[in-house]
Amino acid sequence: MLTAVRRILPEQAVLYDEEDLHPYECDGLTAYRQRPLMVVLPETVAQLRDIVRLCQTRQVPLVARGAGTGLSGGALPLSNGMLLNLAKFSRILEIDPVNRIARVEPGVRNLAISEAVAEHGLYYAPDPSSQIACSIGGNVAENAGGVHCLKYGLTIHNILGLKVLTIDGELLEIGGKCLDSPGYDLLALMTGSEGLLGIIVEVTVKLLPVPESARVILTAFDDVEAAAKAVGDIIGAGIIPAGLEMMDNLAIRAAEDYIHAGYPVDSAAILLCELDGIEAEVEEQIAQVRDILTRNRAVDIRVAIDQKQRKLFWAGRKAAFPAVGKIAPDYYCMDGTIPRHSLPAVLKQISVWSDEYRLPVANVFHAGDGNLHPLILYDANQSGERERTEAFGARILELCIAVGGTITGEHGVGVEKLDQMCSQFDSAELNQFHAIKDAFDPGRLLNPGKAIPTLQRCAEFGAMHVHAGQLPFPELDRF
Ligand SMILES: Cc1cc2nc3c(=O)[nH]c(=O)nc-3n(C[C@H](O)[C@H](O)[C@H](O)COP(=O)(O)OP(=O)(O)OC[C@H]3O[C@@H](n4cnc5c(N)ncnc54)[C@H](O)[C@@H]3O)c2cc1C
């Protein structure tokens, strides 16, 4: 295999020594690690096509990797598979300010798009907190969201076209520069497909004009449920903020320690509510939101006085995950979405379980979208703690389903949520997912074993009853 790959790629674009493979053994979900057979770094579609065809001929599985910031193990390598690092596909191919689009390669960093088009007064709206590092290809494969997706939509709402390499080495052009295209909506199908259906080699993104005015309000509350209720009331009043984020006390303290954003460290929760648009509209909405916050027992309401303070308020939120990473040896980031009206009850239940499992939880999340991110703090070096964390996390996801939500908001299924897919979907639905996979990749070589559980796995999962957080036969390895 190595000899064949070296005929396609230069020496430095093929990694196979153990020490070179180490950095690739996991993505952002560090609880799972596996070194791949080899890592390749092609930089042209022609090279990529030859690699894909080689893998198909030799039946070697392929895992695509963007920046490796994924939090569900989507880019976790396979021991018998090739890891396809797309970092060298980092060119911005076209910026068209008149039609407000850009064509970019998949390895371009999310933030780099907005930086490149800033001179035209434009930006790319979806802004995952990992945007300084994560790639647009990874964003499409995960249908990534971010702070500003409440008003401007997820990745799917902000892209127009894709070029995708199939496992047969065919280049598909899906969508384009126009708003609609005939035929089945393959753009939607590819978005969020977690590298299972094809390799994204080009993305056409929509660009938006930078709003005339953007103001953020930081509000402190003495109890989490009051903050959660205020979220529902703001949206219920017909206001769609550009971002509406919530942090609880543990997250506030961690972020403040790390960034010194001026957060009120004694409050139980804060809300960051950004309003944008034309000046007069923003002023009016600030007044309306203030009223709602006051009615919901807010104890401190601060409107950022200038752009510097606005950026500082957001910097704390955007750095909250690494900040929490500093206060515990490990954290497990959950990602479920629930109807907004269930926020108070679900947050309360999580805190009850946090005591029950003896595992602290920091909540920092896209409250306006009902997209929860409980970060369960644990220490993988303490025997049994990881298992306890996983059981706790699974319970949170099951609760999301029970209240009418979903097991993922934006981080994808990867390897992390395979079991919960069995709860979310029945066998007929899962069979349709497998049929779609087979239509694109009948040999199941693209990122196999991720995102869609086998029916066998679901049968085993269904037969396992978790009682009071205790798995039966805890001494047995799970899957
Ligand atoms: C601190 C932190 C904060 C985060 N905040 C957010 C957030 O606010 N919102 C959010 O949505 N996510 C967030 N994430 C998760 C993560 O950044 C996103 O899922 C992101 O989209 C992953 O991009 P990536 O380039 O790192 O992809 P990777 O992790 O490399 O890959 C992710 C998946 O995409 C597939 N893939 C990658 N590139 C391609 C390609 N070109 N073609 C086909 N498949 C491909 C991989 O196989 C894998 O299944 C955060 C992560 C961290 C560490």
Side-chain angles (χ1 to χ4, degrees), residues 2 13 44 70 74 149 163 165 182 195 231 238 258 265 319 342 388 445:
L2 195 55
T44 66
C149 289
K163 285 190 185 163
L165 201 65
V231 169
Y258 192 54
V265 287
S342 306
R388 223 164 64 236
L445 291 176

Side-chain angles (χ1 to χ4, degrees), residues 114-147:
S114 293
E115 286 169 352
V117 300
E119 59 175 310
H120 303 288
L122 300 171
Y123 76 114
Y124 174 66
D127 56 344
S129 301
S130 53
Q131 68 180 151
I132 51 165
C134 65
S135 73
I136 187 72
N139 290 174
V140 175
E142 296 286 7
N143 192 16
V147 165

Side-chain angles (χ1 to χ4, degrees), residues 26-29 48 62-76 83-86 89 105-110 126-131 133-147 149 154-155 163-165 190 192-203 245 317-323 331 333 335 366 371 373 409-412 414 446-447 450-451:
C26 65
D27 60 7
L29 180 64
L48 193 58
L62 264 169
V63 178
R65 177 180 167 114
T69 66
L71 289 169
S72 56
L76 181 73
L83 194 73
L84 197 57
N85 184 336
L86 293 152
F89 284 84
E105 290 188 332
V108 172
R109 290 176 308 112
N110 171 298
D127 56 344
S129 301
S130 53
Q131 68 180 151
C134 65
S135 73
I136 187 72
N139 290 174
V140 175
E142 296 286 7
N143 192 16
V147 165
C149 289
L154 300 163
T155 304
K163 285 190 185 163
V164 177
L165 201 65
M190 281 293 161
S193 61
E194 303 195 28
L196 269 76
L197 303 182
I199 314 287
I200 298 154
V201 295
E202 191 182 301
V203 187
E245 301 283 306
R317 161 63 185 93
K318 293 222 169 191
F321 285 15
Y331 70 75
C333 173
D335 166 46
H366 309 307
N371 182 195
H373 288 328
E410 51 182 21
H411 296 169
L446 290 171
N447 217 2
K450 311 276 179 69

Side-chain angles (χ1 to χ4, degrees), residues 5-33:
V5 170
R6 277 182 174 153
R7 274 189 225 113
I8 302 170
L9 295 176
E11 178 75 30
Q12 71 277 12
V14 188
L15 308 177
Y16 55 90
D17 276 342
E18 199 181 312
E19 64 181 17
D20 288 336
L21 298 181
H22 261 300
Y24 295 98
E25 68 185 3
C26 65
D27 60 7
L29 180 64
T30 53
Y32 297 87
R33 289 163 195 261

Side-chain angles (χ1 to χ4, degrees), residues 34 40 47 123 165 181 222-223 245 251 256 324 335 348 356 401 407 423 439 447 473:
Q34 173 62 61
V40 293
Q47 287 174 343
Y123 76 114
L165 201 65
S181 59
D222 275 344
D223 79 289
E245 301 283 306
E256 183 55 26
V324 169
D335 166 46
K348 185 160 190 188
E356 191 181 305
I401 300 176
I407 57 164
S423 306
N447 217 2
F473 311 111

